[in-house]
Amino acid sequence: MGRANNQAASKNKHTLPQTPKNLKIEPENVNDEFSLELAEHRVIKAKQDE
């Protein structure tokens, strides 16, 4: 019953989507990016709590 479907596996199953070069973060800038995101999150959270 389950084998009668005849559906083939996806050809893209083992590939990952690629990130455009302009959206990549340099390894030495990752900590700065995280700190900016956390700061933004704190501001948004503070506005919601008011």
Side-chain angles (χ1 to χ4, degrees), residues 10-45:
S10 172
K11 302 230 186 281
N12 292 327
K13 187 174 184 179
H14 298 291
T15 61
L16 295 174
Q18 299 298 309
T19 305
K21 285 185 179 182
N22 62 345
L23 295 179
K24 289 186 179 180
I25 302 169
E26 296 296 324
E28 58 269 3
N29 297 335
V30 171
N31 289 337
D32 295 335
E33 184 73 21
F34 280 127
S35 61
L36 288 173
E37 289 290 328
L38 290 173
E40 288 177 14
H41 179 72
R42 286 186 198 118
V43 170
I44 292 170
K45 188 72 172 165

